Amino acid sequence: QPVLTQPTSLSASPGASARFTCTLRSDINVYSYRIYWYQQRPGSRPRYLLRYKSDSDKQQGFGVPSRFSGSKDGTTNAGLLLISGLQSEDEADYYCAIWYSNTWVFGGGTKLTVL
Amino acid sequence: DVQLVESGGGFVHPGGSLRLSCETSDFTFSAYWMSWVRQAPGKGLEWVANIGKDRSEKYYVDSVEGRFTISRDNAKNSLYLQMNSLRVEDTAVYFCARGGASYCSNGVCGEFDSWGQGTLVTVSS
């Protein structure tokens, strides 16, 4: 089972909200890790969005709008990225990552379609 | 603006070698961990290696351990990746990224907060 699992795709309408999940393998406690989120638009380099461990341990990337936010769901052992007020420019691939066992691990990425 | 510019990519046969470089500017290079992250065509991101500020710590993904070597020259503000015994599965765009620390320091906790444009490495017979 992969360390991090992300759904392959997600679609939502302009102005709506999108909720991305990053599920940690069952033996890895989501509350013990900082979850990092990256956005990659087609043909572009990745962009750091934010990191989230708890409400007291979080950081927004430079210039990243507040409509991007992080949280966690302990019941599903998942890190969450929430985007509100979706815009066409948000159409991109979104990756989560954690530092685990002396390596950086990325999730497989979720492709967001805004339609 | 932080600048990261990779070079050194190209075509190589399996078993061959390449050395990637990442020239940086507009930030205090020696104050940051640095990393290489790759992306195979049409695939997701895969972290390759990182190196501490003073080169005392280096980590690698298992698939490149023993074949790739990450290094840095703080006097030249540059990061390197020596890639030996290349395999077809190493074909990817290689990104240089600022960050990737294994711990938090001065509010920085490992995020890859700036990325280069990438350099393509193609390994094929």
Side-chain angles (χ1 to χ4, degrees):
Chain A
Q1 189 181 3
V3 171
L4 301 176
T5 300
Q6 297 183 251
T8 304
S9 62
L10 178 63
S11 61
S13 301
S17 296
R19 180 179 183 269
F20 297 80
T21 59
C22 174
T23 304
L24 279 65
R25 197 175 61 202
S26 58
D27 63 322
I28 305 170
N29 186 337
V30 68
Y31 288 113
S32 298
Y33 290 85
R34 292 181 180 89
I35 312 291
Y36 299 75
W37 289 94
Y38 299 89
Q39 176 195 64
Q40 188 178 32
R41 295 184 176 119
S44 297
R45 68 193 76 183
R47 172 196 183 196
Y48 169 60
L49 293 177
L50 57 88
R51 70 166 190 258
Y52 184 91
K53 184 175 183 181
S54 65
D55 284 347
S56 60
D57 184 350
K58 62 182 180 180
Q59 183 206 52
Q60 200 81 351
F62 182 78
V64 176
S66 59
R67 60 191 187 86
F68 290 80
S69 62
S71 67
K72 291 180 178 178
D73 183 348
T75 60
T76 58
N77 203 40
L80 304 176
L81 172 69
L82 307 169
I83 309 176
S84 62
L86 278 170
Q87 302 174 3
S88 58
E89 67 196 45
D90 297 330
E91 191 159 285
D93 294 324
Y94 291 82
Y95 296 91
C96 61
I98 65 170
W99 175 251
Y100 174 73
S101 192
N102 287 338
T103 64
W104 281 101
V105 180
F106 284 93
T110 298
K111 181 177 183 61
L112 173 67
T113 302
V114 180
L115 43 65
Chain B
D1 266 6
V2 171
Q3 298 285 336
L4 304 168
V5 180
E6 303 94 336
S7 61
F11 180 92
V12 63
H13 292 297
S17 297
L18 278 177
R19 187 187 193 224
L20 305 184
S21 299
C22 173
E23 294 187 10
T24 76
S25 58
D26 296 323
F27 70 98
T28 305
F29 181 74
S30 59
Y32 288 86
W33 281 62
M34 295 296 295
S35 302
W36 290 99
V37 177
R38 68 184 178 184
Q39 186 168 36
K43 302 297 184 182
L45 301 174
E46 181 184 37
W47 170 79
V48 174
N50 61 357
I51 184 168
K53 291 181 274 189
D54 61 0
R55 298 170 294 182
S56 62
E57 292 184 71
K58 300 177 186 180
Y59 300 94
Y60 299 90
V61 68
D62 285 350
S63 60
V64 310
E65 183 84 56
R67 301 188 298 123
F68 290 11
T69 302
I70 190 171
S71 62
R72 64 189 296 163
D73 185 334
N74 287 345
K76 295 183 177 180
N77 297 326
S78 293
L79 176 72
Y80 307 100
L81 186 68
Q82 178 65 43
M83 305 187 295
N84 298 331
S85 303
L86 281 161
R87 304 168 180 168
V88 171
E89 55 266 33
D90 295 319
T91 295
V93 173
Y94 284 72
F95 295 100
C96 166
R98 188 176 78 171
S102 62
Y103 55 84
C104 295
S105 174
N106 296 323
V108 177
C109 291
E111 53 273 15
F112 303 112
D113 64 0
S114 293
W115 298 67
Q117 84 288 349
T119 186
L120 176 62
V121 172
T122 302
V123 185
S124 176
S125 54

